[in-house]
Amino acid sequence: MSRQEGRQRIEKGRMMYSPQDGLHRTSHPSYSKYEHLLSPGWIPGRKVDNSDQQYSGFRDNIPYMFLLLVFHPLLRRLYESLRPVGQKAAAPLQKTSSSPSDASADACLDQRVRFDVGFACLYILALHGTSAFKIFTILYINFSLAKGLPKAYLPLATWTFNVGILFANELSRGYPYAEVARLLFPWSTASGALSNENSGQDWGSFLDSYGGLLPRWEILFNITVLRLISFNLDYHWSLDRLGGSPLEKKQLDPSELSDRDRVDLPAKTEDYSFRNYFAYVLYSPLYLTGPILTFNEYISQLRYTPRSITRNRTTLYGIRFLISLLTMEVMLHFIYAVAISKSQPAWDAYTPFQLSMLGYFNLHIIWLKLLLPWRFFRLWALLDGIDPPENMVRCMSDNYSALAFWRGWHRSFNRWIVRYIYIPLGGSGASDGTWGKAQAVFNMLVVFTFVALWHDIQLKLLIWGWLITLFVLPEVLAGYVFPKARWQNNKDTYRVICGIGAVGNILMMMAANLVGFAVGLDGLKDLVRGIVGSYSGKATSIILRVSF
C-alpha cells in the first residue's frame, strides 16, 4: 500500500467515525436510554459496551483463560518428561530417513492421547459438573452407531442421530436430572406430594446443583456434534479402502503431508478406537468453540507435529491476537453500537448516515467478537502442538466476494461443510451450464439451512441462512454474465464492476447479520426505513455507494 492510499483510508475512516462520535457521548439525547447497558471502562473518561452476552462471557474470563493457556501446555510437558516415549520406539527404523519411524509415531500418538483423555475428563467435569455424564452418554451412543451398524446405514443413522441431538438438547434444555427423575420415577413424585416431600426429584435436583462453571452445556455442544459426525463419516469412508496403505500407494511421507492430505487420507484401522475418538471429540483447546479439525487430521497431527508450528510463528500469532483484542477494546469503549441496538431506540432520532454507520460498525463488532475466541483457542492449540485451520482470514471490508467471504468467515466450519455436506450433495453440479448453477444454489440453500439450525433453532437464524443464500445469488449471476476470462484485456473496467459488487456485498452482509445476530428482522426494517425513508437518507445511500 502506498503512502497516498494509506492517507485516503485514514481519511475515509475519519469521515465514517466523525458523525458517530456524538452518538456515544453523554450529551446525545438517546444516551440515557442505553446508559444502563454500559459498564465502567479502563480507558479514562469512557465506559465500555459489554452488553453483548456472547462476547461478555469471553471478555470477563480472559484472565482465567490465559492461566489455562499457560497451565495446560506446561502440564503436558511435565507429563511427557515423566512418561517419555520409549527409546526403542523412538529409534528410527531407517537411519537414512529424516522422518520418525512408524513405531515412534505410534508411541507419540499413544502418549498424547493418554494425556488428552485424562485432561479432557477433568476439563469437562470442571466445565459442566455432573452434566459431563450426559455428554459421555451421547458420545458412547454415537460411537456405538459407527461400530455397530452395517456400513450402508451408517451415514443416514449418523445424520439422523446428531441432528436429532441438536433439537433434543434445545427442546429439553439439556435434560435436567430433576426432569429425568420425574419421568423415570413418577410414583416417587406422587408419594412425595402426599408426604410433603419430593424424594423422587431430590436426587435429580442434587445432581443439577453441581452444574460446573458452564451449567448450560447444551449451548456449546453444537460444535461437538460436528466432531461426532466427522468421526463417524471418516470411519465410514475408511471402510472403502482396499488393501494397502494410501500413503504407500501415493508414495507420501507421513510427516510431510499437506493440509488436504491430512484431511483426506484415512487413519489406520486401529486408530478408530473409542479412546482416540474420546480424546478427539473432547480435545480441550478446541472443545468450546473450535476451530474444527476432522478426526483424520487430528490423528495425523498427533503422530507427526506439523512443520508449520514454530516458536517464531506462534509468538507472532500471539501478538496478532493481542492487537486484535486491543482493537476490540477500543471499539467497545468508543462505539456503543451493541448497546444502542439492544435499547430498542427510536431510529428517527439518528440521521440516515449515523444509522448506516451503526449497522456498519455493528457488523465489525460481530466479526471481532467471533474472531477473538477462535484466535485464542487456536493459539492454545498451537502452543500444544496442534495446528487447526485459521478462521476469519479476511475482514468483510477487504473482501469484494460474498462467496469468498463466507468461505473465510468460519473457514474450518466451511471446510467441514464442504467435506461432509456440500460434496456428498453433488457440490457445484456435474455440469457448468444453467442446471449446474441451479444445483449449486440449491446445495447452498441446504447448507445454510443446516448452518442456521446448527447455530440455534430460531426463526431469525433461519431467515439469516436464507438471506445469505439469496445474497450470494447476485454474485453467482454476475459471474455467469461477466466471466473473468472475458475481461483480461480490460482489467480496469472489471475492477470497477468488482468494486460495485463489493459495496453490494457489504450492504447485504450488514442486512443478513443484523437480522441474525443483532436487531432481528423487525429491527432491520425500522433501520432501513430510517436510512432510506427520507430524501436525506436516499442521498446518504448514493454517497455511500460512491465513496466505498
Side-chain angles (χ1 to χ4, degrees), residues 199-424:
S199 57
Q201 293 185 19
D202 280 349
W203 65 270
S205 300
F206 173 76
L207 292 175
D208 287 332
S209 66
Y210 292 91
L213 299 173
L214 298 173
R216 296 291 307 279
W217 65 272
E218 72 277 7
I219 295 177
L220 297 171
F221 193 76
N222 291 10
I223 199 81
T224 304
V225 165
L226 302 181
R227 290 188 281 265
L228 299 182
I229 295 172
S230 175
F231 173 83
N232 281 19
L233 295 186
D234 279 2
Y235 173 68
H236 169 74
W237 290 326
S238 75
L239 299 177
D240 294 331
R241 178 177 57 191
L242 301 176
S245 168
L247 292 171
E248 294 177 357
K249 291 180 179 178
K250 295 186 177 183
Q251 297 182 340
L252 296 174
D253 182 350
S255 65
E256 298 285 353
L257 295 179
S258 65
D259 290 343
R260 182 169 183 175
D261 286 335
R262 282 200 296 260
V263 171
D264 291 342
L265 295 177
K268 297 180 180 179
T269 302
E270 60 270 20
D271 289 337
Y272 296 94
S273 65
F274 183 78
R275 188 186 67 164
N276 292 352
Y277 161 78
F278 187 93
Y280 160 69
V281 172
L282 303 181
Y283 178 58
S284 300
L286 306 181
Y287 168 72
L288 290 175
T289 65
I292 303 161
L293 279 177
T294 68
F295 178 79
N296 289 343
E297 190 172 11
Y298 172 75
I299 292 297
S300 176
Q301 292 199 35
L302 290 191
R303 275 204 165 88
Y304 305 97
T305 301
R307 300 292 176 91
S308 59
I309 298 180
T310 63
R311 179 176 299 179
N312 182 59
R313 178 172 177 263
T314 303
T315 301
L316 291 176
Y317 191 80
I319 293 173
R320 286 178 59 200
F321 168 76
L322 293 176
I323 293 174
S324 300
L325 181 62
L326 179 61
T327 301
M328 182 63 154
E329 285 296 301
V330 171
M331 287 190 68
L332 294 181
H333 278 80
F334 286 91
I335 300 176
Y336 302 145
V338 179
I340 290 173
S341 64
K342 283 181 173 290
S343 63
Q344 298 180 339
W347 296 113
D348 55 5
Y350 305 97
T351 68
F353 189 79
Q354 288 174 334
L355 290 176
S356 301
M357 292 301 98
L358 272 176
Y360 183 72
F361 284 121
N362 207 329
L363 181 60
H364 283 73
I365 290 173
I366 292 172
W367 186 79
L368 277 169
K369 82 171 185 178
L370 296 174
L371 175 140
L372 287 168
W374 281 331
R375 284 199 174 171
F376 175 85
F377 290 111
R378 183 170 187 260
L379 175 61
W380 182 3
L382 289 171
L383 291 170
D384 193 46
I386 294 292
D387 190 359
E390 174 75 291
N391 291 330
M392 300 291 210
V393 292
R394 292 182 72 175
C395 179
M396 75 289 298
S397 295
D398 190 30
N399 198 325
Y400 69 86
S401 168
L403 287 170
F405 173 78
W406 287 114
R407 291 189 189 108
W409 173 280
H410 195 168
R411 182 164 165 260
S412 62
F413 190 22
N414 177 75
R415 289 173 52 172
W416 186 95
I417 287 171
V418 169
R419 176 170 172 80
Y420 299 110
I421 301 180
Y422 191 65
I423 290 178

Side-chain angles (χ1 to χ4, degrees), residues 403 422 425 427-429 434-449 465-466 468-477:
L403 287 170
Y422 191 65
L425 283 175
S428 57
T434 304
W435 174 247
K437 298 287 185 182
Q439 183 180 353
V441 171
F442 173 77
N443 290 344
M444 281 191 285
L445 179 63
V446 173
V447 163
F448 277 109
T449 299
W466 296 333
I468 294 299
T469 306
L470 177 64
F471 293 160
V472 164
L473 273 176
E475 181 174 338
V476 174
L477 295 176

Side-chain angles (χ1 to χ4, degrees), residues 89 109 120 151 161 172 198 274 405 443 504:
L109 171 67
K151 177 177 176 292
F161 173 74
S172 66
N198 203 350
F274 183 78
F405 173 78
N443 290 344

